[in-house]
Amino acid sequence: MKKEKIIEFEKKIKYQFEHPELLITALTHSSYSNENRLKKYECNERLEFLGDAVLELVSSEYIYKDNPTNPEGDLTRIRASYVCEPTLALCAREMNLGEYILLGKGEDLTGGRERDSILSDTLEATIGAIYLDGGFERAREYIQEFILKDIEHKKLFYDSKTILQEIVQGEKKELEYKLLSEEGPDHNKSFTVSVNIEGKQITTATGRTKKKAEQSAAYQAILKLGTYKKQGR
């Protein structure tokens, strides 16, 4: 990895590594290490294991303090929604983490930089790298800034299709997602869909998969419907 990319990522996350090799390992996917005949432990899987544990502790403390009267079962469900693969992938996309990952050529060509599993695993690996490089408090700051900050907003996006369905059903109306266009080669497709309520187009959105386009369109529809309600429409 070029030094310029390391510096660029460090500026993005507001943390400078004393041991940048930890960051390089955190950003190295197994497909890259296999293709380049690196040792098995030179990919990010071990750091992902460590980062997952640190994330669980930090998020558990945050949820415990933020929900002072909730029982254990509620806290467990909240944590599961905060640290699940889609939510972590969303956080990774907001950081543009995908552009920094070292991927094998095949994985790269098939859209690996946008794959939820790769993005979420790499994000956890960067947590592990910061923990080893700077200690628990620096890792906590990183998690709070890039994962827990505005977490309700992120959860709303992740749950947007379910939430929109509940809103529309509550008003006894019909909801439909319509595919408007599908463009690009198989490894880099772009889908545009619309959200229609009672046959009327409410919003449109584009995504790398049909599911992600629908999710984005649903999220925009929720915001739009919320605006209408606030205005008394």
Side-chain angles (χ1 to χ4, degrees), residues 86-97:
T87 303
L88 293 180
L90 174 61
C91 296
R93 288 189 183 94
E94 291 186 340
M95 300 163 59
N96 295 318
L97 182 59

Side-chain angles (χ1 to χ4, degrees), residues 114-150:
E114 280 296 312
R115 193 163 293 131
D116 281 7
S117 58
I118 292 177
L119 289 170
S120 62
D121 289 350
T122 304
L123 180 56
E124 288 182 331
T126 62
I127 294 169
I130 291 174
Y131 171 76
L132 288 180
D133 190 74
F136 181 74
E137 284 306 315
R138 298 309 298 267
R140 185 208 297 269
E141 291 170 8
Y142 178 64
I143 291 167
Q144 289 176 335
E145 176 66 23
F146 294 101
I147 297 176
L148 297 178
K149 186 177 180 181
D150 204 18

Side-chain angles (χ1 to χ4, degrees), residues 8 16 18 43 46 64 69 88 129 141 170 176 185-186 194 197 208 217 219 227:
E8 183 182 312
Q16 185 173 355
E18 290 186 26
C43 71
R46 283 167 51 83
Y64 180 86
T69 61
L88 293 180
E141 291 170 8
E176 178 189 16
D186 287 343
S194 67
I197 298 177
R208 290 287 298 273
Y219 175 70
T227 300

Side-chain angles (χ1 to χ4, degrees), residues 172-227:
K172 297 183 178 178
K173 294 181 179 179
E174 184 178 344
L175 171 66
E176 178 189 16
Y177 294 92
K178 188 174 181 180
L179 179 63
L180 301 179
S181 67
E182 180 179 335
E183 301 174 350
D186 287 343
H187 68 272
N188 191 26
K189 278 191 176 296
S190 176
F191 298 84
T192 299
V193 303
S194 67
V195 165
N196 296 357
I197 298 177
E198 293 291 290
K200 180 182 178 182
Q201 182 173 299
I202 304 298
T203 57
T204 64
T206 301
R208 290 287 298 273
T209 66
K210 186 179 176 184
K211 182 179 178 181
K212 286 184 171 63
E214 289 176 348
Q215 185 180 43
S216 296
Y219 175 70
Q220 294 300 328
I222 292 168
L223 296 182
K224 191 170 184 179
L225 291 171
T227 300

